Amino acid sequence: MDFITGQLNNKQKEAVLTGDGPVLVLAGAGSGKTRVLTSRVAHLVMEKGVYPSSILAITFTNKAAREIKGRVGKMMGGDMWFPWIGTFHSMCLKMLRMYPESLGYRKGFVIYDQDDQKILVKDCLKELDLDSKLFPPKMIIHQINRSKDELIDAEKFNKENASDYKLSIAGKVYELYQKRMLENNAMDFGDLIANAVKMLRENENIRMYFQNAFKHILIDEYQDTNTAQYELAYILSEKHGNIFVVGDDDQSIYGWRGANIRNILDFEKDYPGCMVIRLEQNYRSTTNILDAANDVIKNNLGRKGKTLWSDKGTGGKINYYRAATNSMEAYYIASRIQKGIEAGRDYEDYAVLYRVNAQSRSIEQALRDKKIPYRIYGGISFYQRKEIKDVLAYLKLIQNPNDNVQLKRVINEPKRGIGKTTLTRMEEYAIDTGSSIYEVAGDIRIYPNLSKSVEKVSVFVGIIEKLRKSAAEKSVADLYDDVILYSDILKQYKLDNTIISRSRIENIKELKSAIMTKAEEQYESFGEKLTLEVFLESVTLATDADEETEGTHVSIMTLHSAKGLEFPIVFISGMEEGVFPSFQSFSEGRLEEERRLCYVGITRAMEEVYLLNTMQRTLYGRTQSYPESQFLREISPALIEHKSGGGFGRRNVGQSTRDSFGGMRITKGGKPITIAGFTAVPGEAANVKTGQRVRHKKFGDGTVTNTEGSGGDKMIEVSFDIAGTKRLMASFAKLKIVD
């Protein structure tokens, strides 16, 4: 027994050794849940005499399944066969392979991936004579996949959405899609679980077989289960009642992709008489880090309740830094990492987390400038993202129309009906005549075999020519606006209206932030306007630096990607209301999930946490001020240490606020404000009015487009001729009214 439980604490032992019946293990962050799950499996086999084939242990990823199998094998001193340890999808597939005829399928059915789904949905749209532009395949696929997660078949979907025109059309496609799937003897990933549930519900003999077969059911990350996964577990555990689930309601952060937190919150109602065991000892973080995380998460109403603690010592306080801009925030992060490396730290010790992918752009720039190696975890570099490369290809083609590579990338992006055959013929003519593809496109009417494509290609050439004219007359930021307008590159993403497409729209908008930032740097450093050539050159150099580095690196990633990972030092960027928590969380009722995401972020840290925000942030091409995140205000001030080094930080919003490093006090009423040793007064900025022309030392001339408040607290929005739109506080703007 000692070889199984010897390394466990009392609560972990209780979870492993508890008897039969339903068990809910609420495993806090860093509390050793995988150790408990694997020890439980070993205990059942070695001490209780349960056959390995009678244990169904389910997790969410192949990596986690391999880890569980590996740990169990190591604990038991050899390779023992556990046929039913795996992911939800792999276990359901194995069940369906045994009885495909029960659902009308034939043996050897195939599994469709996302690309296969897209092709079939397009075929269904065509068969139903529906326009794929009005009913984007990605939108239809999203509806189908989510419906299957909720165990809503096509018939039920149509009944529930009969009064909604767009959804009723999606229902018709769903119905035909499922018919064709059956004809093709194919299932998609959603079918694997939904069909397994259907098979168990409708066939008593099959249901009894699997209920008898699985004496014990164990489920990892139970807080992430959706309706179909919940129902599967419920049916399979009905006979023996031995369901052992491990999860953390405080780490349920995937509601946007179907996870239902009610599954773990209502476990005691669904399984009366269940035992609840809380794992609250954290083996990862210091006490101050855990206290801060506890301060945040206790504000959620929808939770079971637990308090993490640690014996790893108090540790340092939570570092709080408020910068003036997101660029300064990023450079502060890079500087802290650089100092740590000089003091003997390793790059692998650091992680930079952010709420949305678009935030990575300024962080990447700062790390590159400091020559700090980094890798984007679970994603790709900002400038390497498909949607960003598409917009950059337009800009490069405007700069050099003879660039065949860029032309081939965007001539049909977004879709214009210019097929591969047309492009191949154009390229062949270009080679034969020693010209570029763009030159052939411009004279397309004179080339044989291209007559059917004249109109479509001419439209594309017209767009590029119009943009080349814009480039000669406008700033790079304004040219960007024209590219987005004339290319119509956002249209398909808006029609798709999926999480991925919305993220791509945000990234494309963030590219304008990069242009504006570069324009500011160019004006400040050289006193000249940014040219397209200079911007593209800077991007090319940045892209070259994005090649994967050898050796160690700093990890940068979204907060969602960080779940399950740990690092000695963690930076969380963008702790601002509207960024984190996001605006969508307010409108969509997901504030508690955002707070759980904050809890996840803080508990990734082992030794140090830096929480950062800005006075104003340029995001998605707009510069504006955001209040500090409410999550910051939920942490006890006694746990916070204000950091200095640049930027205007503040703490405790109210009648007066104090800066992060003790040098700044803002008082209501527009009185003088002291900042790190100098006094700022409103000056002329307090008197500016909408429509007036003003001048700023850094941003140049611009027009006031809006004002809010009065005196030193007045917020002024200025559309600068070169730097774009900025929101400035009158006390610090140092604006001069231009006669």
Coordinates of all heavy atoms in Angstrom, one line a residue, residues 475-515:
S475 N -1.5 58.6 -45.8 CA -0.6 58.0 -44.8 C -0.7 56.5 -44.9 O -1.7 55.9 -45.4 CB -0.9 58.5 -43.4 OG -2.2 58.0 -43.0
V476 N 0.2 55.8 -44.3 CA 0.1 54.3 -44.2 C -1.1 53.8 -43.5 O -1.8 52.9 -43.9 CB 1.4 53.7 -43.6 CG1 1.3 52.2 -43.6 CG2 2.7 54.2 -44.4
A477 N -1.4 54.5 -42.4 CA -2.6 54.2 -41.6 C -3.9 54.3 -42.5 O -4.8 53.4 -42.4 CB -2.7 55.0 -40.4
D478 N -4.0 55.4 -43.2 CA -5.2 55.6 -44.1 C -5.2 54.6 -45.2 O -6.2 54.1 -45.7 CB -5.2 57.0 -44.6 CG -5.5 58.0 -43.5 OD1 -6.1 57.6 -42.5 OD2 -5.2 59.2 -43.7
L479 N -4.0 54.3 -45.7 CA -3.9 53.2 -46.8 C -4.4 51.9 -46.3 O -5.1 51.2 -47.0 CB -2.5 53.1 -47.3 CG -2.2 52.0 -48.3 CD1 -3.0 52.1 -49.5 CD2 -0.7 51.9 -48.6
Y480 N -4.0 51.6 -45.0 CA -4.5 50.4 -44.4 C -6.1 50.3 -44.4 O -6.7 49.3 -44.8 CB -4.0 50.3 -43.0 CG -4.8 49.3 -42.1 CD1 -4.4 48.0 -41.9 CD2 -5.9 49.8 -41.4 CE1 -5.1 47.1 -41.1 CE2 -6.7 48.9 -40.6 CZ -6.3 47.6 -40.5 OH -7.0 46.7 -39.7
D481 N -6.7 51.5 -44.0 CA -8.1 51.6 -44.0 C -8.7 51.3 -45.4 O -9.7 50.6 -45.6 CB -8.6 52.9 -43.6 CG -8.3 53.2 -42.1 OD1 -8.2 52.2 -41.4 OD2 -8.3 54.4 -41.7
D482 N -8.1 51.8 -46.4 CA -8.5 51.6 -47.8 C -8.4 50.1 -48.2 O -9.2 49.6 -48.9 CB -7.7 52.5 -48.8 CG -8.2 53.9 -48.7 OD1 -9.2 54.2 -48.1 OD2 -7.5 54.8 -49.3
V483 N -7.3 49.5 -47.8 CA -7.1 48.1 -48.1 C -8.2 47.2 -47.5 O -8.8 46.4 -48.2 CB -5.7 47.6 -47.6 CG1 -5.6 46.0 -47.6 CG2 -4.6 48.2 -48.4
I484 N -8.5 47.5 -46.3 CA -9.6 46.8 -45.7 C -11.0 47.0 -46.4 O -11.8 46.1 -46.6 CB -9.8 47.2 -44.2 CG1 -8.4 46.9 -43.4 CG2 -10.9 46.4 -43.5 CD1 -7.9 45.5 -43.5
L485 N -11.2 48.3 -46.8 CA -12.4 48.7 -47.4 C -12.5 48.1 -48.8 O -13.5 47.4 -49.2 CB -12.5 50.2 -47.5 CG -13.7 50.7 -48.3 CD1 -15.0 50.4 -47.6 CD2 -13.6 52.3 -48.4
Y486 N -11.5 48.3 -49.7 CA -11.6 47.9 -51.1 C -11.5 46.4 -51.3 O -12.1 45.8 -52.2 CB -10.6 48.7 -51.9 CG -10.8 50.2 -51.9 CD1 -9.8 51.0 -51.9 CD2 -12.1 50.7 -52.0 CE1 -10.0 52.4 -51.9 CE2 -12.3 52.1 -52.0 CZ -11.2 52.9 -51.9 OH -11.4 54.3 -51.9
S487 N -10.6 45.8 -50.5 CA -10.4 44.3 -50.6 C -11.6 43.5 -50.1 O -11.8 42.4 -50.5 CB -9.1 43.9 -49.9 OG -9.3 43.9 -48.5
D488 N -12.3 44.1 -49.1 CA -13.5 43.5 -48.5 C -13.0 42.2 -47.7 O -13.7 41.2 -47.6 CB -14.5 43.1 -49.5 CG -15.9 43.1 -48.9 OD1 -16.1 43.6 -47.8 OD2 -16.9 42.6 -49.5
I489 N -11.8 42.3 -47.2 CA -11.2 41.1 -46.6 C -11.9 40.7 -45.3 O -11.8 39.5 -44.9 CB -9.7 41.4 -46.3 CG1 -8.9 40.0 -46.2 CG2 -9.5 42.3 -45.1 CD1 -7.4 40.2 -46.3
L490 N -12.6 41.6 -44.6 CA -13.3 41.2 -43.4 C -14.7 40.6 -43.6 O -15.2 40.0 -42.7 CB -13.5 42.5 -42.5 CG -12.2 43.2 -42.0 CD1 -12.6 44.4 -41.1 CD2 -11.3 42.3 -41.2
K491 N -15.2 40.7 -44.8 CA -16.6 40.3 -45.0 C -16.8 38.8 -44.7 O -17.8 38.5 -43.9 CB -16.9 40.5 -46.5 CG -18.4 40.1 -46.9 CD -18.7 40.4 -48.3 CE -20.1 40.0 -48.7 NZ -20.4 40.3 -50.1
Q492 N -16.0 37.9 -45.2 CA -16.2 36.5 -44.9 C -16.1 36.2 -43.4 O -16.8 35.4 -42.9 CB -15.2 35.7 -45.7 CG -15.5 34.2 -45.7 CD -16.9 33.9 -46.3 OE1 -17.3 34.4 -47.3 NE2 -17.7 33.1 -45.5
Y493 N -15.1 36.8 -42.8 CA -14.9 36.6 -41.3 C -16.2 37.0 -40.6 O -16.6 36.4 -39.6 CB -13.7 37.3 -40.8 CG -12.4 36.8 -41.4 CD1 -11.4 37.7 -41.7 CD2 -12.2 35.4 -41.5 CE1 -10.2 37.2 -42.3 CE2 -11.0 35.0 -42.1 CZ -10.0 35.8 -42.4 OH -8.8 35.4 -42.9
K494 N -16.8 38.2 -41.0 CA -18.0 38.7 -40.3 C -19.1 37.7 -40.6 O -20.0 37.5 -39.7 CB -18.3 40.1 -40.8 CG -17.3 41.1 -40.3 CD -17.7 42.5 -40.9 CE -16.7 43.6 -40.4 NZ -17.0 44.9 -41.0
L495 N -19.2 37.2 -41.8 CA -20.3 36.3 -42.1 C -20.1 35.0 -41.3 O -21.1 34.4 -40.8 CB -20.3 36.0 -43.6 CG -20.9 37.1 -44.5 CD1 -20.6 36.7 -46.0 CD2 -22.4 37.3 -44.2
D496 N -18.9 34.5 -41.2 CA -18.7 33.3 -40.4 C -19.1 33.4 -39.0 O -19.7 32.5 -38.4 CB -17.2 32.9 -40.5 CG -16.7 32.4 -41.8 OD1 -17.6 32.1 -42.7 OD2 -15.5 32.4 -42.1
N497 N -18.7 34.6 -38.4 CA -19.2 34.9 -37.0 C -18.9 33.8 -36.0 O -19.7 33.4 -35.2 CB -20.6 35.3 -37.0 CG -21.0 35.9 -35.7 OD1 -20.2 36.6 -35.1 ND2 -22.2 35.8 -35.2
T498 N -17.7 33.2 -36.1 CA -17.3 32.2 -35.1 C -16.2 32.8 -34.2 O -15.7 33.9 -34.5 CB -16.6 31.0 -35.8 OG1 -15.5 31.4 -36.5 CG2 -17.6 30.3 -36.8
I499 N -15.8 32.1 -33.2 CA -14.8 32.6 -32.3 C -13.5 32.8 -33.0 O -12.8 33.8 -32.9 CB -14.6 31.6 -31.1 CG1 -15.9 31.6 -30.2 CG2 -13.4 32.0 -30.3 CD1 -15.9 30.5 -29.2
I500 N -13.2 31.9 -33.9 CA -11.9 32.0 -34.7 C -12.0 33.2 -35.6 O -11.0 34.0 -35.7 CB -11.6 30.7 -35.5 CG1 -11.3 29.6 -34.5 CG2 -10.5 30.9 -36.4 CD1 -11.2 28.2 -35.1
S501 N -13.1 33.3 -36.3 CA -13.2 34.4 -37.3 C -13.2 35.8 -36.6 O -12.6 36.8 -37.1 CB -14.4 34.3 -38.2 OG -15.6 34.4 -37.4
R502 N -13.9 35.9 -35.4 CA -13.8 37.1 -34.7 C -12.4 37.5 -34.2 O -12.0 38.6 -34.2 CB -14.8 37.1 -33.5 CG -16.3 37.0 -33.9 CD -17.2 37.4 -32.7 NE -17.2 36.4 -31.7 CZ -18.0 35.4 -31.6 NH1 -18.9 35.2 -32.6 NH2 -17.9 34.5 -30.6
S503 N -11.7 36.4 -33.8 CA -10.3 36.6 -33.4 C -9.5 37.1 -34.6 O -8.6 38.0 -34.4 CB -9.7 35.3 -32.9 OG -8.3 35.5 -32.6
R504 N -9.7 36.6 -35.8 CA -9.0 37.1 -36.9 C -9.3 38.5 -37.3 O -8.4 39.3 -37.7 CB -9.3 36.2 -38.1 CG -8.6 34.8 -38.0 CD -8.9 33.9 -39.2 NE -8.0 32.7 -39.1 CZ -8.1 31.6 -39.8 NH1 -9.1 31.5 -40.7 NH2 -7.2 30.7 -39.7
I505 N -10.6 38.9 -37.1 CA -10.9 40.3 -37.3 C -10.2 41.2 -36.4 O -9.6 42.3 -36.7 CB -12.4 40.5 -37.2 CG1 -13.2 39.8 -38.3 CG2 -12.8 42.0 -37.1 CD1 -14.7 39.8 -38.2
E506 N -10.1 40.8 -35.1 CA -9.4 41.6 -34.1 C -7.9 41.7 -34.4 O -7.3 42.7 -34.2 CB -9.6 40.9 -32.7 CG -11.0 41.0 -32.2 CD -11.2 40.2 -30.9 OE1 -10.3 39.4 -30.5 OE2 -12.3 40.3 -30.3
N507 N -7.3 40.6 -34.9 CA -5.9 40.6 -35.3 C -5.7 41.6 -36.4 O -4.7 42.3 -36.4 CB -5.4 39.2 -35.6 CG -5.3 38.3 -34.4 OD1 -5.1 38.8 -33.3 ND2 -5.4 37.0 -34.6
I508 N -6.5 41.6 -37.4 CA -6.4 42.5 -38.6 C -6.5 43.9 -38.1 O -5.7 44.8 -38.5 CB -7.5 42.2 -39.6 CG1 -7.1 40.8 -40.3 CG2 -7.5 43.3 -40.7 CD1 -8.2 40.3 -41.3
K509 N -7.4 44.2 -37.2 CA -7.5 45.6 -36.7 C -6.3 45.9 -35.9 O -5.9 47.1 -35.8 CB -8.8 45.7 -35.8 CG -10.1 45.6 -36.6 CD -11.3 45.8 -35.7 CE -12.6 45.7 -36.5 NZ -13.8 45.8 -35.6
E510 N -5.7 45.0 -35.2 CA -4.5 45.2 -34.4 C -3.3 45.6 -35.2 O -2.4 46.3 -34.8 CB -4.2 44.0 -33.5 CG -3.0 44.2 -32.6 CD -3.1 45.3 -31.6 OE1 -4.2 45.9 -31.4 OE2 -2.1 45.6 -31.0
L511 N -3.3 45.2 -36.5 CA -2.3 45.5 -37.4 C -2.2 47.0 -37.6 O -1.1 47.6 -37.7 CB -2.5 44.9 -38.8 CG -1.4 45.1 -39.8 CD1 0.0 44.7 -39.3 CD2 -1.7 44.5 -41.1
K512 N -3.3 47.7 -37.5 CA -3.3 49.2 -37.6 C -2.6 49.8 -36.4 O -2.0 50.8 -36.5 CB -4.8 49.7 -37.7 CG -4.8 51.2 -38.0 CD -6.1 51.8 -38.2 CE -6.1 53.2 -38.5 NZ -7.4 53.8 -38.8
S513 N -2.8 49.1 -35.2 CA -2.0 49.6 -34.0 C -0.5 49.5 -34.3 O 0.2 50.5 -33.9 CB -2.4 48.7 -32.8 OG -3.7 48.7 -32.5
A514 N -0.1 48.5 -35.0 CA 1.4 48.4 -35.3 C 1.8 49.5 -36.2 O 2.9 50.1 -36.1 CB 1.6 47.0 -35.9
I515 N 0.9 49.8 -37.2 CA 1.2 50.9 -38.1 C 1.3 52.2 -37.4 O 2.2 53.0 -37.6 CB 0.2 51.0 -39.2 CG1 0.3 49.7 -40.1 CG2 0.4 52.2 -40.1 CD1 -0.9 49.6 -41.1

